Amino acid sequence: MRRWLNVLPAIDAGELLRWRSQSDDGRRHAWSWLLYHWMWNTRSKRFDDFTRRLSDGEDPDAAWLAAFPDLDPARPDAMELLSEELEKYRRRGAYGYYRVRAEFDSASREVPLSRGDLHVAILEAREVAADASQQRADLQEALREEPGHAIATAWAARLGGTSPVEALRERTRAATGDGWAWLELGQALPGAADETERTAALRKAAELLPDVALAHRALAAALLAAGKAHDALAAANRALDLAPWDPVAVATLGGVAAGLGQCPQARQLASRALEAASPEGAGERLRALVADVDRRCAVTAPAEAGSPSR
């Protein structure tokens, strides 16, 4: 990275802080790395404050100004000073570092891939290219080779416009340790009448699939819908820990924050979720989650000043 910085043209600090696009020719990435290390090595206390504010859901621009009030991006003289500091830091080439001994375990284990899993994996890989009739044929083949396969059962039912609930209930009775069956069942159960069964199924799924973000995200959403925001918090946080890039996980945590009365944080998380989604990714589900945050916060607005902090 240091060698790269020696050959790439410099970028004005103000331009760097205004950068919002995903596209880059490499320069912004390199100079962002330099900015990070400059802050980490020369202004560590303010940098810690900045990252804490981001973790608490503050608006990034407001968090920057609070942590670095002398580096206001709206002030040309401040950006000129920051540009000079970064250039000096780059030329000096003396970066603080420390060595870490990384221990690792090279052992591995093989787990048999079931025939149903194989068919579903193939179908997922070519889902965009396969039409509905091809998907049905592939799913029927998966179910012939592995009757009761949870994902294939749920997928085939969705394509056919039927409910997979009874088949999934049978699967959970026959294979109580199948976390995916519990997850699919929890997501397939309709209506408030199934609230208790849904929550129980998703709790079981999260227990059996501790490293699957979708299981914890679905559990958080179900608990929030049941009015149990406090119970939903741990699951929502776990989902975001496992998949911090997932806009739906971010928005789900925003809904939980709104359910807890923490509307400034909730609105910031909702905004972050929309920013993280690509134009085609900001679908109906994500918009519904953001709308739910707005609805919950509109209801709690009079008491917001007294809401608990995260």
Side-chain angles (χ1 to χ4, degrees), residues 224 229 249-261 266 269-270 289-290 292-293 296:
L224 180 62
V250 177
T252 299
L253 182 59
V256 173
L260 293 172
L269 287 163
L289 289 168
V290 172
D292 183 60
V293 168
R296 290 175 183 274

Side-chain angles (χ1 to χ4, degrees), residues 6-86:
N6 285 334
V7 298
L8 289 173
I11 294 179
D12 176 74
E15 178 187 347
L16 188 62
L17 291 174
R18 289 190 299 271
W19 179 37
R20 294 293 186 271
S21 173
Q22 293 294 318
S23 62
D24 179 33
D25 58 5
R27 295 170 64 215
R28 293 176 180 83
H29 176 80
W31 282 81
S32 294
W33 179 89
L34 184 71
L35 173 62
Y36 172 91
H37 280 271
W38 176 80
M39 292 188 294
W40 194 85
N41 283 303
T42 67
R43 298 197 175 190
S44 57
K45 289 184 179 180
R46 292 191 180 189
F47 184 53
D48 286 345
D49 179 50
F50 177 54
T51 55
R52 178 189 58 78
R53 291 173 182 275
L54 292 178
S55 295
D56 286 344
E58 286 191 26
D59 175 76
D61 293 332
W64 176 271
L65 278 177
F68 303 104
D70 58 323
L71 299 177
D72 184 350
R75 288 174 44 207
D77 61 322
M79 291 299 95
E80 183 178 351
L81 175 62
L82 179 56
S83 295
E84 291 174 358
E85 288 294 321
L86 291 177

